Amino acid sequence: MSGRPPFYITTPIYYVNASPHIGHAYTTVACDMVARFKRLDGYDVKFLTGTDEHGQKVEKSAQADGMDPQAFTDRVSRNFRDLATALNCTNDDFIRTTESRHTRACQALWTTLIERDQIYLGSYAGWYAVRDEAFYNEDELTTGPDGVKRAPSGAEVEWVEEPSYFFRLSRWAEPLLKFYDENPDFIAPDSRRNEVLSFVRGGLTDLSVSRTTFQWGVPVPGDDDHIMYVWLDALTNYITAVGYPETDTGQYATHWPADLHMMGKDILRFHAVYWPAFLMAADLAPPRRVFAHGWWTNEGQKVSKSVGNVIDPLTLVETYGLDQVRYFLLREVPFGNDGDYSHRAMVNRMNGDLANDLGNLAQRTLSMIHKNCGQAVPQPGPFADEDRTLLDQAGGLVDTLRAAIDRQALHEALEALWVVVRAANAYVDRQAPWALRKTDPARMATVLYVLAETLRPVAVLMQAVTPDSAARMLDQLGVPADARDIAALGEEAGRALVPGTALPKPVGIFPRYVDETGDAG
């Protein structure tokens, strides 16, 4: 690991009051694409996901199921761990907030905040939404025709009065605004940054950080009548996983601050306001960047359990294939915007992008090599201008993808790959190697070599998105296992395809999807 730059990326920890859905899959797969790309690029990556298992909502869900909260969270947490595995995600750690390492970290952070006069005991009276595990001001609420007060999220609120410890959040408005100003890339995309700035400029009030009306949570050190507010507990997971409270050695010393916290836009405030304030108040470094992505609808409808249109990611994988689902989620919408899932959109991506564009390019190229070049990488002759143009396009992919992924413009990274794929398909049509076979076999060999050498960086980089399919493509290109990273794509690496390398018989990588009606989309 020595000498490799560290990179620490996290999903939010998922709340275990219900089963995983497409939103959970989306965040985890997006983080996995970034983590895989960074590993390909030589980074020492730590990729964390996990489950948030405390709070009143979990306690109520467990009671509704007639279960003990710990047994309930054991069961539901396993679903999220299994989802990450089913999606072929490469998280290095899976954290649960019911683990002893996490209790230890939370209580250490609390103790530090007390010592630094950042937490004080008072009493709370105000509106609380159990569903959101969040407090709301009166001016944030709406009252429906049924007389029920609701939070901006639509969750019902209830009036709560109880003793509470408070975090001195009001002290941190100006330091936070200064931090945002000095770190303009801290919150992304820009629309979300503007929301946060507006919220903080409106003034911050001290935050209730403990509860006494239920017991499912981390006990407050020295006052067992109180448990920690679930968001102080939950956010601490990111430092628990790197060994906090040990900060001088180990993973904390190498990997904190986190390079990227990824989450849905509904929980941005907690990550962009509360979390850096907690950390700065404890004299700990805030994360480098938080990115809030959008939500998914189903065939244009808001996803809702009551409507019955919740999208199960495991069903999608079973129906369409793992790599196909991963590609669709990352390609279909600009990352950061809301997106709509539909069967038609899925099939269009599978058959248009994967089967027709990339799959057909690989199959045509490798089949012609197998048939006409002795089942081995062809020996190229001198490169013409159009050969070099295509090779240069493919060679420029690494820098383009690095820039896009560092901005979390994951869709742009994929579009850049497809610009090269489309250019290669146009090149095949213009060069017509099937005709050159009769008129100029040497030129045919050069064209086929150029195509194979264009596919190589595409396949190497696609390992971040469609890892199994990309590995099969690299197998068929004869790329050795130790030459499948970004370092092997540099000109100085000298790792281009070696003429004469024996190649296996090509097999299709991305089959077309045909539904039960026989419609291929």
Side-chain angles (χ1 to χ4, degrees):
M1 294 290 195
S2 168
R4 297 170 62 197
F7 186 84
Y8 182 20
I9 182 171
T10 71
T11 73
I13 50 173
Y14 301 121
Y15 209 50
V16 295
N17 68 313
S19 296
H21 55 66
I22 193 172
H24 304 117
Y26 186 45
T27 316
T28 309
V29 168
C31 287
D32 189 59
M33 176 182 175
V34 177
R36 284 177 178 272
F37 181 87
K38 289 291 184 180
R39 286 195 201 97
L40 289 172
D41 208 12
Y43 285 76
D44 172 14
V45 173
K46 182 175 178 67
F47 169 20
L48 176 70
T49 189
T51 44
D52 177 5
E53 303 181 17
H54 288 140
Q56 192 173 2
K57 189 163 52 170
V58 169
E59 190 174 76
K60 286 188 171 186
S61 296
Q63 288 168 352
D65 271 17
M67 296 181 74
D68 167 77
Q70 186 64 60
F72 176 82
T73 56
D74 287 347
R75 186 190 74 192
V76 185
S77 178
R78 169 57 60 184
N79 294 337
F80 286 91
R81 191 187 292 267
D82 290 347
L83 176 68
T85 301
L87 294 171
N88 197 8
C89 292
T90 55
N91 52 293
D92 307 281
D93 195 355
F94 187 98
I95 191 163
R96 301 179 58 189
T97 56
T98 50
E99 294 178 56
S100 58
R101 61 172 171 161
H102 184 64
T103 299
R104 186 167 61 251
C106 288
Q107 292 183 331
L109 180 61
W110 182 282
T111 300
T112 298
L113 292 171
I114 287 281
E115 289 169 351
R116 296 175 66 84
D117 190 30
Q118 299 293 336
I119 289 178
Y120 62 92
L121 182 61
S123 60
Y124 179 80
W127 296 103
Y128 187 74
V130 172
R131 195 182 85 189
D132 299 346
E133 297 284 10
F135 298 101
Y136 291 98
N137 297 325
E138 183 78 39
D139 60 4
E140 294 182 278
L141 306 179
T142 55
T143 304
D146 54 2
V148 174
K149 287 184 180 291
R150 295 184 183 276
S153 63
E156 287 188 28
V157 295
E158 58 187 44
W159 186 259
V160 172
E161 293 188 31
E162 59 183 329
S164 177
Y165 285 91
F166 286 82
F167 171 70
R168 298 186 191 277
L169 185 63
S170 57
R171 287 184 177 178
W172 290 95
E174 288 306 315
L176 281 169
L177 291 170
K178 182 172 184 285
F179 173 71
Y180 302 149
D181 185 55
E182 291 172 352
N183 298 275
D185 294 330
F186 173 64
I187 303 166
D190 284 344
S191 58
R192 305 288 166 228
R193 173 182 160 81
N194 295 336
E195 287 173 17
V196 170
L197 288 173
S198 176
F199 175 73
V200 177
R201 283 172 181 151
L204 299 176
T205 56
D206 288 352
L207 180 70
S208 171
V209 288
S210 75
R211 303 293 305 276
T212 59
T213 51
F214 62 97
Q215 291 301 307
W216 185 240
V218 176
V220 166
D223 193 343
D224 288 347
D225 290 339
H226 291 254
I227 61 159
M228 289 186 202
Y229 172 47
V230 71
W231 273 104
L232 177 54
D233 164 359
L235 290 161
T236 303
N237 92 88
Y238 302 125
I239 53 176
T240 298
V242 289
Y244 182 83
E246 177 51 64
T247 59
D248 295 331
T249 60
Q251 287 191 46
Y252 188 100
T254 48
H255 282 85
W256 191 262
D259 293 273
L260 179 62
H261 289 325
M262 190 96 79
M263 79 285 312
K265 62 184 179 180
D266 53 323
I267 56 173
L268 174 63
R269 182 185 299 181
F270 303 105
H271 286 82
V273 181
Y274 298 171
W275 182 223
F278 294 154
L279 290 165
M280 290 190 286
D283 197 26
L284 299 172
R288 292 194 173 95
R289 184 168 168 90
V290 296
F291 189 100
H293 62 69
W295 292 335
W296 284 86
T297 51
N298 187 351
E299 307 276 358
Q301 275 193 309
K302 185 177 179 181
V303 174
S304 160
K305 279 194 285 189
S306 58
V307 175
N309 66 345
V310 172
I311 304 166
D312 179 356
L314 298 179
T315 301
L316 294 184
V317 169
E318 191 178 308
T319 305
Y320 303 110
L322 173 57
D323 278 354
Q324 287 82 349
V325 169
R326 287 175 58 103
Y327 177 81
F328 173 83
L329 290 174
L330 299 170
R331 182 72 168 91
E332 181 63 11
V333 294
F335 196 70
N337 293 5
D338 291 342
D340 183 53
Y341 162 80
S342 72
H343 171 69
R344 172 63 54 199
M346 176 72 80
V347 173
N348 285 346
R349 288 291 178 195
M350 291 168 65
N351 288 350
D353 296 7
L354 295 178
N356 290 357
D357 292 348
L358 180 54
N360 192 41
L361 174 66
Q363 184 70 8
R364 284 205 288 178
T365 300
L366 291 164
S367 293
M368 283 188 281
I369 289 173
H370 189 80
K371 185 176 180 182
N372 302 304
C373 302
Q375 303 174 24
V377 175
Q379 177 67 56
F383 291 138
D385 287 347
E386 51 201 330
D387 304 334
R388 294 193 182 282
T389 297
L390 182 58
L391 290 170
D392 288 347
Q393 264 191 288
L397 280 171
V398 168
D399 288 343
T400 303
L401 264 67
R402 277 182 182 140
I405 285 172
D406 282 346
R407 289 183 291 111
Q408 291 77 60
L410 308 185
H411 59 292
E412 289 183 21
L414 286 168
E415 172 58 20
L417 284 163
W418 253 253
V419 166
V420 171
V421 169
R422 289 191 289 265
N425 276 312
Y427 171 88
V428 177
D429 293 339
R430 285 195 309 274
Q431 299 297 321
W434 49 88
L436 290 171
R437 181 170 63 88
K438 297 176 182 174
T439 60
D440 192 344
R443 176 62 188 158
M444 174 202 71
T446 301
V447 167
L448 292 176
Y449 182 87
V450 167
L451 287 166
E453 182 55 23
T454 299
L455 281 167
R456 183 175 69 96
V458 170
V460 165
L461 297 169
M462 280 294 286
Q463 291 176 106
V465 186
T466 58
D468 291 344
S469 305
R472 289 198 298 274
M473 194 177 301
L474 290 164
D475 289 344
Q476 294 186 41
L477 286 164
V479 177
D482 65 354
R484 297 185 177 190
D485 59 9
I486 286 172
L489 297 181
E491 282 186 24
E492 67 283 358
R495 306 302 284 276
L497 296 174
V498 178
T501 302
L503 299 181
K505 184 177 180 180
V507 178
I509 306 289
F510 293 110
R512 287 180 63 78
Y513 178 85
V514 180
D515 63 27
E516 292 173 359
T517 65
D519 181 7

